[in-house]
Amino acid sequence: MSSDDILAVRDLKVSFTARRAGRKYRVQAVDGVSLSLAEGEVLGIVGESGCGKTTLGRAIVGLVQPDGGNIAFKDDDAIAAGGAALRAMRLNVRMVFQDPYASLNPRRTIGDSVAEAGDINGIFRDRTDRSAMIASTLTAVGLDPSFATRYPYELSGGQRQRAGIARAILPTPSVVVADEPVSALDVSVQAQVLNLMMDLREQLRLSMLFISHDLGVIGQISSRVAVMYMGRIVERGATRTVLDHPLHPYTRALIAAIPKPDPSKRILGAIEASEPPSLFKRPAGCAYAARCPLASDRCLVDIPQLRSAGADDRALACHNV
Ligand SMILES: Nc1ncnc2c1ncn2[C@@H]1O[C@H](COP(=O)(O)OP(=O)(O)OP(=O)(O)O)[C@@H](O)[C@H]1O
Ligand SMILES: [Mg+2]
């Protein structure tokens, strides 16, 4: 962990036991991810559906138990330290969820949901202080304080995601893990909610892990990006460099698949042309080999490790680039 890092994740592994056709399988959703987040930075995590983005985010905020690796917050290996260090990390590293409807308890008022972390950690002096903090947090996300007494079903999608954001910033955290915070929203409100998040990031000096399957959004808001494929990071670097000069064949295919304004200029990339491999039968070598135009015999047996590939934290996991 370097001195200006606020969060460092090392070799994180998360697996699930899943059943399919009567048999039990181990699904390795996150397979040895290392990343660091500098203070004030937005790090984008991009990759297609099922590659483990949400699981990575949930492990970082403590909602799923990793089965390997460690998570350091401000120099403490918080999980190993447990106790006060772990509680501090839980309060300081918070999540905005992909689906604002599922993330708010339908039977609790918006005010109670927003105050949840504060209630658990006993941060409110009294009822008046609690109400005032709920009101100011709702105002900060662009909702009228009267929303405190409403229920999730009374809110529009955009308002619900604003409430979800309010819930993540009371009390003010240091790091927000934003899991596709706008992908479930109507196109007309996506930009408003993204702008709100960027304003809050500046006002509250948040560091952010921004998860998305959309490289266009990542390009707008993150300074660095990590590209995930089947539970692993396959490329990492400054966002502009990665978007302008992608190295990994998977990153190139993702970029080729970004919708172009003129459909005739659109390239049908490998991503759209083929199904992603199933986590139920993880290949022995590089997980991307079956779809990769550069794959060689070595790729079928030997998993490429992430190695340094230039200045500014550029890294790549490929045998043939
Ligand atoms: N609780 C769980 N039990 C069993 N398997 C799970 C569980 N949660 C996730 N998985 C599996 O782990 C893999 C990664 O899922 P995850 O939700 O992290 O992907 P994702 O990149 O966020 O996808 P999406 O873009 O669709 O949100 C998937 O194969 C998923 O089915
Ligand atoms: Mg997800």
Side-chain angles (χ1 to χ4, degrees):
M1 186 165 201
S2 84
S3 60
D4 53 354
D5 285 344
I6 188 154
L7 187 77
V9 171
R10 209 151 46 98
D11 204 21
L12 197 74
K13 294 187 175 157
V14 184
S15 63
F16 299 108
T17 309
R19 278 185 179 280
R20 206 185 224 196
R23 281 186 57 188
K24 270 191 182 172
Y25 292 84
R26 222 167 90 98
V27 172
Q28 192 73 49
V30 176
D31 191 20
V33 165
S34 299
L35 55 84
S36 61
L37 185 66
E39 202 142 4
E41 175 183 43
V42 181
L43 171 66
I45 310 274
V46 72
E48 69 201 302
S49 185
C51 73
K53 306 180 297 294
T54 296
T55 306
L56 172 64
R58 289 171 67 89
I60 291 172
V61 302
L63 290 172
V64 288
Q65 186 74 26
D67 38 38
N70 59 55
I71 301 171
F73 174 68
K74 285 188 179 167
D75 286 335
D76 274 328
D77 182 348
I79 293 182
L86 189 57
R87 275 197 300 281
M89 181 170 85
R90 295 286 174 254
L91 208 52
N92 270 296
V93 183
R94 310 268 287 281
M95 190 148 177
V96 173
F97 295 88
Q98 194 162 357
D99 176 355
Y101 202 59
S103 70
L104 293 168
N105 185 333
R107 284 181 294 277
R108 303 188 76 183
T109 61
I110 298 298
D112 283 346
S113 281
V114 168
E116 190 179 337
D119 287 335
I120 292 169
N121 290 279
I123 67 155
F124 303 118
R125 281 196 306 276
D126 49 36
R127 299 294 301 175
T128 320
D129 181 45
R130 183 177 184 272
S131 303
M133 291 205 25
I134 293 170
S136 65
T137 308
L138 289 174
T139 307
V141 299
L143 293 175
D144 191 87
S146 65
F147 275 77
T149 55
R150 300 208 199 165
Y151 286 87
Y153 73 87
E154 300 176 73
L155 274 58
S156 71
Q159 289 168 340
R160 270 199 298 266
Q161 192 55 304
R162 286 175 191 270
I165 295 167
R167 183 167 177 254
I169 61 165
L170 179 66
T172 306
S174 310
V175 177
V176 167
V177 176
D179 183 13
E180 311 231 24
V182 300
S183 64
L185 302 179
D186 207 271
V187 182
S188 60
V189 294
Q190 284 188 354
Q192 294 168 17
V193 172
L194 262 187
N195 286 340
L196 167 68
M197 294 202 69
M198 292 305 101
D199 289 347
L200 290 172
R201 182 184 83 87
E202 208 161 297
Q203 286 161 22
L204 305 177
R205 314 180 76 173
L206 305 172
S207 313
M208 207 177 270
L209 270 184
F210 193 96
I211 296 170
S212 177
H213 61 272
D214 185 341
L215 266 177
V217 173
I218 295 270
Q220 283 174 41
I221 70 157
S222 72
S223 48
R224 275 192 313 137
V225 63
V227 181
M228 258 181 106
Y229 191 78
M230 278 187 87
R232 292 171 157 257
I233 292 177
V234 295
E235 180 161 5
R236 192 181 64 208
T239 308
R240 268 288 43 101
T241 320
V242 172
L243 290 183
D244 292 347
H245 304 285
L247 295 173
H248 198 285
Y250 175 62
T251 316
R252 290 190 208 156
L254 271 185
I255 291 171
I258 297 175
K260 305 283 182 300
D262 177 357
S264 67
K265 297 229 170 63
R266 191 146 180 237
I267 310 161
L268 184 69
I271 302 307
E272 293 154 289
S274 60
E275 277 285 299
S278 161
L279 282 179
F280 287 94
K281 5 182 227 319
R282 174 177 283 277
C286 174
Y288 190 58
R291 302 163 96 185
C292 181
L294 304 181
S296 57
D297 289 349
R298 183 181 177 195
C299 306
L300 302 178
V301 290
D302 185 5
I303 300 179
Q305 302 299 318
L306 197 65
R307 59 180 159 85
S308 174
D312 291 339
D313 190 41
R314 194 79 200 273
L316 174 72
C318 178
H319 294 310
N320 295 329
V321 174

